[in-house]
Amino acid sequence: MIPSLEDVSRITGLRVYGRPVSGYTYPCYHELAEQLLDLPVERRSSLVPRVALQESLGLYEAGKNAGESEDEYLERLSRVSRRELASEPGQQADLDLRRFLVLFLGRLLFATRGDAVHCRFLPLLEDLGEVGGYAWGAAFLAHQFDGLSVSERQTSTSGFYPFLQVWTYLHLPALGRGDLTRPGLVPIARRWDSRRDTRHLADQLERLQEAIDSYPYLDVVWQPYLGEGDEGQPWLAQARPYFGRSVWLHALNLSVVEFPVRDRFRRPGRSFRGLHDTTDWRERAREQIENWERKGNAVDVTGEIASLRALLYSAVHDREAAHRQTAELRSELERVRGAGAGGASSSRSAGGSPSLLEARLAGAVLRAEEAQRHLEEQERDL
């Protein structure tokens, strides 16, 4: 169970179909940034200072007003930005739009560790009429995979955190990490707010780790979109051919594989790294890009059957264990009741109400019977 193109499409609304996010990368973007952004760029690192970008857009000091909600604040920022862009002459509007897109891509969608903003996507923004045709959602997922390090020593990650947060809310709801404050909105990320936790960070992490380690199997939501329609989401129709397939994801110097089948492959890994030379990634990653243009490969049916068989075996094992546990609880409940009826128990109150132990056992039996019925239904479905 890993984030997929369907998750990206439904949670963020980003386009996961279209042209791959590919082209040239350069060792230095200084001249291109001056030409397309009219902003200074650090020569050696090709980074644009975040503050300079925000100041150029009038966003650096655009804070929330007193009593203003998050939604109202974002709506005001959007309204002001649209008005400013509409009032500017074409050339200045294009300049500001490129600045905004560099900030949006470099600091939000493809965020990296550190404060400055990289210019590696800038060549794709030269022709603004072409920007909407790229599969930004697929590149976003490649970046997410790349940011999930395999090193146990790494204590931070990069990327767009709300995507992984909402993905967790959908699959592991019993963790209670999110609040569904706006049900029904699309994309799905708009429905959720993260729950505020005032405890010390170390305490939060320790308790969260314990909750994940002991998370009940029956509370995992494996298919969170079964009840979701396509209303208000026109992008899903064109995205659907990419769902449930093994396909290469590409984003300039990153290429990773999105694997839809459980336990068949190891963690998606990097294929390319390094921006020290002028590189045409359409040529260097031609095989991966051609795979993307073919919409990848159909899922191997043999692997699908093997995964289902493993799930069935697990369900049978869980159902048998639940049956044994239910029988043991019933036996213990009968023993307690028998002892109470024979006057041997001191756990009944003067009014003759059931003992606390008996009440707890009765509740445990009901829960065990419900879990057993659920597992039997799951076994039949499999």
Side-chain angles (χ1 to χ4, degrees), residues 10 23-24 31 72 135 183 195 250-251 264 346 369 374 381:
R10 288 191 178 274
Y24 282 93
E31 292 183 7
E72 291 169 339
R195 191 166 293 174
H250 181 72
R264 285 187 57 220
S346 61
E369 289 173 343
H374 182 86
D381 290 344

Side-chain angles (χ1 to χ4, degrees), residues 26 28-41 43 48 91-92 94-96 98-99 102 119 122-128:
Y26 304 96
C28 179
Y29 291 82
H30 189 269
E31 292 183 7
L32 193 63
E34 285 192 340
Q35 173 193 336
L36 297 180
L37 299 177
D38 193 24
L39 287 174
V41 173
R43 277 193 177 274
V48 182
Q91 189 173 359
Q92 182 62 39
D94 286 354
L95 186 69
D96 280 348
R98 285 195 192 93
R99 289 171 175 174
V102 165
C119 293
L122 190 55
L124 303 180
L125 306 181
E126 184 168 3
D127 184 351
L128 291 170

